[in-house]
């Protein structure tokens, strides 16, 4: 048979139809791409305007909320000086000059009303009571809040720039007694907490006073500047950064300003207080992200439609089916791998829980070891003294000096009671506070501590110089623990002067207006490492001569009493330890060094 040859006209017609179909498909693809571009452009323009307006409205609402918070805080704080100015306890303290309980009353008042700070000033502008004890004794006789409060009988508002550049907002009012001015009460408003809260959002927020000076800002460098100076202080982005920013925000309106290299929109609101204004800078990136999310979905939709058209055109169902089967196999493999990872993670979690329990047990054992070392260190002194007294009593009994031997036995009995008290008080070394806090004469505690060290002093020839005031120096402390601190310092001085030809220890007690300062200096070799001096278990002594806990425990005890223990090297050599404790009652007279003796 003869094969039928294709007709040329049919082949030409078929080729023409294929060319028409390809052209139609290309035209359809072009139309879809054009529709995508037009749709994306229209969507971007419309959504940018809408989201920009929405963002601006939300910023205005947020500024209204911030403004209300500031106004509420200021109004609430303005009432506090009026109430405190009528407090009979504060008026009585200003009249009598006894401010021993004033700071405690102000701290309790601050906790109740929730203000930033409270200070009580006398007629000379000196802080006699404050919630922050570090400012006690500071003079504010030329501060606006002190000067203005004396000129009127109303509550006065002042904004004072602090040392760090942040503004301090205070209300002050004159304190009157029988119609006469006796002092000024100053209450600080806690606006810094709102500033910290604003820092948690993406917007940059600033508050300006009536003169245009920034008093609150999320950017610390802006404080104290005008808004124009603050924006200039931040360097503008470079040309490359501007180009990249313009590419990212190609459809946005021109930015109102640049903050931290970002284009931002500026929103301003009025604070109904002394002409204050609040400004917020919202980055356009928040608008751009929302618009881009919608555009991405739109582009994804057009891409899906285009892919579907290509799929219908190509008719490659088998290839697509193979792709799906392969993807399904990959997903199953991924699922199995994820299941194994989950099981491994659960096992690691169990191991971590076991490790945490082991670490907790190790911590308990470490604490027990530290306490046992502290007991050994603190009981070593009474045991050594008891050994000395027993040897002396034995010698006295051999010489038939019974009364003196009985006196030694009485001292041994006192030491036994002291050891019992030490074991009861050792628990205070591991926690804050104590139950035996009472008024203590620092001179009497020093004498008792020196009496405790009497056996060691008799064994050596040491020149001891004591500079003590005539009257009693009262502090609030636990006498037993205070004596332990003095004994620790004195023992360290004795150890430091060991081997010197002329060992010398000088003890100086100074009673200042607010604090009592006990200084103990020796002429030894001095201190080598001041940074590690008060760390536990750090010592320069030989093994077996010290545990390294004495100064660490002493520092903790002094801190429990509200004081501070410091160390330095003297000008002429030797170590100088200084213990500062708050006085129980402040004296108006400047104390003078009374008794000076040498032993």
């Amino acid at each position: 048979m003869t094969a039928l040859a294709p007709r040329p006209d049919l082949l030409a017609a078929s080729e023409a139809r294929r060319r028409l179909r390809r052209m139609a498909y290309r035209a359809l693809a072009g139309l879809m791409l054009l529709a995508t571009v037009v749709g994306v452009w229209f969507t971007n323009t419309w959504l940018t305007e809408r989201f920009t307006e929405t963002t601006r409205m939300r910023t205005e609402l947020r500024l209204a909320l911030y403004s209300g918070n500031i106004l509420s805080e200021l109004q609430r704080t303005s009432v506090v000086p009026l109430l405190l100015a009528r407090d009979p306890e504060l008026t009585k303290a200003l009249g009598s000059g006894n401010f021993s309980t004033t700071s405690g009353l102000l701290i309790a008042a601050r906790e109740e009303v929730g203000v930033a700070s409270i200070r009580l000033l006398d007629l000379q502008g000196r802080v006699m009571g404050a919630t922050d004890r570090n400012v006690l004794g500071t003079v504010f006789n030329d501060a606006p809040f002190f000067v203005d409060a004396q000129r009127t009988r109303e509550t006065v508002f002042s904004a004072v720039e602090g040392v760090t550049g942040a503004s301090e907002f205070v209300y002050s009012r004159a304190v009157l007694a029988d119609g006469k001015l006796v002092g000024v009460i100053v209450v600080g408003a806690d606006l810094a907490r709102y500033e910290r809260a604003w820092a948690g959002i993406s917007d940059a927020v600033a508050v300006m006073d009536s003169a245009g000076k920034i008093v609150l800002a999320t950017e610390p460098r802006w404080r104290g500047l005008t808004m124009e100076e603050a924006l200039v202080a931040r360097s503008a982005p470079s040309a490359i950064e501007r180009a990249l920013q313009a590419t990212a925000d190609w459809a946005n309106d021109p930015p109102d300003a640049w903050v931290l290299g970002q284009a931002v929109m500026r929103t301003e609101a009025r604070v109904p207080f002394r002409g204050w204004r609040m400004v917020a800078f919202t980055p356009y990136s928040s608008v751009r992200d929302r618009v881009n999310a919608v555009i991405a979905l739109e582009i994804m939709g057009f891409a899906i439609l285009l892919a579907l058209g290509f799929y219908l055109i190509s008719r490659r169902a088998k290839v697509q089916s193979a792709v799906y089967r392969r993807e399904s196999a990959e997903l199953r493999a991924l699922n199995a791998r994820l299941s194994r990872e989950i099981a491994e993670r659960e096992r690691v979690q169990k191991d971590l829980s076991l490790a945490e329990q082991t670490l907790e047990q190790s911590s308990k054992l470490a604490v027990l070891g530290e306490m046992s070392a502290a007991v050994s260190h603190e009981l070593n002194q009474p045991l050594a003294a008891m050994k000395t007294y027993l040897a002396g009593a034995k010698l006295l009994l051999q010489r038939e000096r019974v009364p003196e031997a009985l006196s030694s036995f009485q001292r041994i009995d006192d030491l036994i009671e002291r050891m019992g008290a030490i074991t009861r008080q050792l628990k205070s070394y591991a926690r804050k506070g104590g139950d035996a806090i009472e008024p203590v004469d620092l001179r009497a505690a020093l004498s008792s501590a020196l009496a405790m060290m009497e056996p060691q002093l008799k064994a050596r020839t040491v020149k001891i110089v004591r500079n003590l005031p005539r009257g009693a120096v009262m502090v609030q402390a636990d006498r037993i623990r205070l004596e332990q601190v003095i004994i620790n310092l004195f023992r360290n001085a004795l150890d430091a002067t060991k081997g010197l030809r002329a060992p010398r220890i000088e003890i100086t007690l100074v009673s200042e207006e607010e604090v009592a300062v006990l200084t103990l200096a020796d002429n030894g070799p001095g201190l080598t490492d001041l940074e590690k001096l008060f760390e536990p278990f750090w010592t320069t002594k030989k093994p077996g001569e010290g545990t390294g806990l004495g100064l660490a425990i002493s520092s903790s005890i002094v801190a429990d009493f509200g004081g501070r223990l410091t160390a330095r090297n003297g000008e002429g050599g030797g170590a100088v330890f200084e213990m500062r404790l708050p006085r129980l009652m402040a004296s108006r007279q400047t104390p003078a060094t009374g008794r000076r003796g040498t032993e």
Side-chain angles (χ1 to χ4, degrees):
M1 298 180 61
T2 303
L4 297 175
R7 293 173 55 183
D9 54 342
L10 294 178
L11 292 176
S14 177
E15 184 65 25
R17 286 194 296 272
R18 283 196 296 270
R19 285 198 301 268
L20 289 175
R21 283 196 298 269
R22 286 196 295 269
M23 293 176 62
Y25 294 152
R26 292 173 182 175
L28 181 60
L31 289 175
M32 292 185 65
L33 289 176
L34 181 60
T36 301
V37 173
V38 173
V40 169
W41 178 270
F42 176 80
T43 301
N44 180 79
T45 304
W46 181 70
L47 289 180
T48 299
E49 295 177 356
R50 182 177 178 182
F51 288 156
T52 300
E53 186 64 21
T54 301
T55 302
R56 194 179 299 275
M57 291 178 60
R58 290 181 177 178
T59 304
E60 291 175 355
L61 292 176
R62 192 157 51 243
L63 290 182
L65 177 61
Y66 295 165
S67 174
N69 292 336
I70 293 176
L71 187 61
S72 175
E73 181 67 20
L74 291 173
Q75 290 176 348
R76 185 175 63 85
T77 306
S78 64
V79 183
V80 179
L82 177 61
L83 300 177
L84 294 179
R86 301 176 179 176
D87 192 327
E89 295 294 332
L90 300 182
T91 306
K92 181 180 178 181
L94 289 172
S96 63
N98 183 8
F99 301 95
S100 59
T101 61
T102 303
S103 296
L105 293 175
L106 296 182
I107 292 173
R110 182 192 63 181
E111 293 176 354
E112 290 179 0
V113 299
V115 295
S117 63
I118 306 176
R119 286 168 285 182
L120 180 64
L121 281 65
D122 60 8
L123 292 178
Q124 286 74 36
R126 186 182 303 276
V127 179
M128 308 307 297
T131 54
D132 183 7
R133 299 183 185 272
N134 294 326
V135 301
L136 289 176
T138 307
V139 179
F140 296 96
N141 55 1
D142 58 346
F145 55 80
F146 178 76
V147 177
D148 296 341
Q150 297 181 89
R151 298 175 179 174
T152 179
R153 295 299 179 261
E154 302 294 333
T155 302
V156 180
F157 174 81
S158 302
V160 184
E161 184 175 356
V163 179
T164 60
S167 297
E168 181 183 9
F169 308 95
V170 297
Y171 282 96
S172 57
R173 188 180 181 91
V175 181
L176 303 178
D178 298 331
K180 296 182 180 180
L181 179 66
V182 295
V184 174
I185 188 72
V186 182
V187 180
D190 189 10
L191 298 184
R193 60 192 180 103
Y194 297 114
E195 194 177 47
R196 294 189 296 269
W198 299 341
I201 62 176
S202 60
D203 295 2
V205 183
V207 178
M208 300 175 292
D209 59 12
S210 58
K213 182 180 177 180
I214 297 177
V215 294
L216 290 174
T218 55
E219 291 294 322
R221 297 185 182 180
W222 288 4
R223 301 188 187 110
L225 305 176
T226 62
M227 185 54 65
E228 291 74 17
E229 294 173 346
L231 295 178
V232 171
R234 288 293 186 180
S235 59
S238 62
I240 297 178
E241 292 174 342
R242 285 182 178 272
L244 295 176
Q245 186 71 27
T247 303
D249 297 335
W250 56 275
N252 290 337
D253 296 333
D256 297 334
W258 293 86
V259 177
L260 296 176
Q262 287 188 340
V264 295
M265 67 176 69
R266 174 170 178 166
T267 306
E268 188 169 335
R270 186 179 67 88
V271 180
F273 180 79
R274 294 178 176 266
W276 285 13
R277 291 176 298 156
M278 181 176 290
V279 180
F281 295 97
T282 305
Y284 277 104
S285 58
S286 60
V287 176
R288 188 74 264 156
D289 292 340
R290 298 172 63 186
V291 174
N292 289 343
V294 177
I295 292 177
L297 292 176
E298 186 176 6
I299 294 176
M300 185 180 299
F302 281 110
I304 292 175
L305 291 177
L306 187 62
L308 181 60
F310 288 151
Y311 172 75
L312 294 176
I313 293 172
S314 61
R315 304 286 185 175
R316 300 174 61 182
K318 293 183 180 180
V319 175
Q320 293 295 332
S321 178
V323 172
Y324 292 152
R325 287 195 297 270
R326 184 170 62 254
E327 291 179 352
S328 179
E330 291 176 356
L331 289 176
R332 286 193 296 270
L334 179 61
N335 187 25
R337 186 164 62 253
L338 289 176
S339 299
R340 291 193 298 270
E341 291 180 359
I342 291 173
E344 181 66 19
R345 186 177 296 273
E346 291 177 352
R347 185 184 64 80
V348 172
Q349 189 68 25
K350 292 180 181 179
D351 295 341
L352 179 61
S353 176
L354 181 60
E356 290 177 351
Q357 295 177 0
T358 304
L359 181 60
E360 181 180 357
Q361 184 65 23
S362 299
S363 178
K364 293 180 180 178
L365 294 176
V367 171
L368 290 176
E370 181 178 346
M371 290 299 296
S372 63
V375 170
S376 174
H377 176 81
E378 296 300 330
L379 294 184
N380 185 51
Q381 301 164 1
L383 288 175
M386 289 172 61
K387 184 177 180 180
T388 303
Y389 286 135
L390 284 174
K394 181 179 179 180
L395 182 60
L396 291 173
L397 289 176
Q398 291 176 355
R399 297 179 180 180
E400 296 183 355
R401 297 165 64 181
V402 177
E404 296 180 9
L406 291 177
S407 177
S408 298
F409 287 131
Q410 181 61 38
R411 290 187 179 183
I412 294 174
D413 184 65
D414 294 340
L415 289 174
I416 292 175
E417 292 182 0
R418 183 178 185 84
M419 291 171 63
I422 290 174
T423 56
R424 290 192 300 270
Q425 292 295 333
L426 277 178
K427 61 181 181 181
S428 63
Y429 295 159
R431 61 179 178 87
K432 293 287 183 181
D435 299 330
I437 303 298
E438 59 185 359
V440 178
D441 185 1
L442 195 54
R443 287 163 35 97
L446 178 60
S447 299
S448 299
L450 292 178
M452 181 72 177
M453 296 296 297
E454 183 178 353
Q456 288 85 343
L457 294 176
K458 289 182 177 180
R460 293 177 53 190
T461 301
V462 181
K463 182 179 182 181
I464 300 177
V465 179
R466 289 186 289 180
N467 303 319
L468 306 178
R470 295 188 181 93
V473 181
M474 303 302 295
V475 296
Q476 195 79 4
D478 179 0
R479 178 162 182 167
I480 294 178
R481 299 169 67 194
L482 182 59
E483 292 176 4
Q484 289 298 313
V485 174
I486 299 174
I487 291 173
N488 283 336
L489 298 179
F490 203 82
R491 286 194 61 198
N492 289 338
L494 289 177
D495 294 339
T497 56
K498 186 181 298 183
L500 298 180
R501 292 184 177 180
R504 172 188 173 93
I505 300 175
E506 183 175 354
I507 304 173
T508 304
L509 178 59
V510 179
S511 178
E512 299 180 354
E513 184 176 357
E514 298 289 341
V515 297
V517 183
L518 177 63
T519 305
L520 196 147
D522 60 64
N523 62 342
L527 304 172
T528 57
D529 197 339
L530 294 174
E531 296 181 356
K532 298 181 179 179
L533 190 62
F534 295 101
E535 294 183 1
F537 300 105
W538 188 88
T539 179
T540 58
K541 299 179 181 179
K542 298 179 180 180
E545 296 183 359
T547 62
L549 288 171
L551 290 178
I553 294 176
S554 299
S555 178
S556 176
I557 292 175
V558 175
D560 288 345
F561 299 156
R564 185 181 180 187
L565 179 62
T566 59
R568 68 179 187 275
N569 287 317
E571 297 180 358
V576 179
F577 286 88
E578 184 177 274
M579 179 175 64
R580 304 177 69 90
L581 292 173
R583 288 193 58 194
L584 185 60
M585 295 180 63
S587 177
R588 292 185 177 181
Q589 299 180 356
T590 303
T593 301
R595 179 167 59 87
R596 182 181 181 92
T598 303
E599 297 182 3

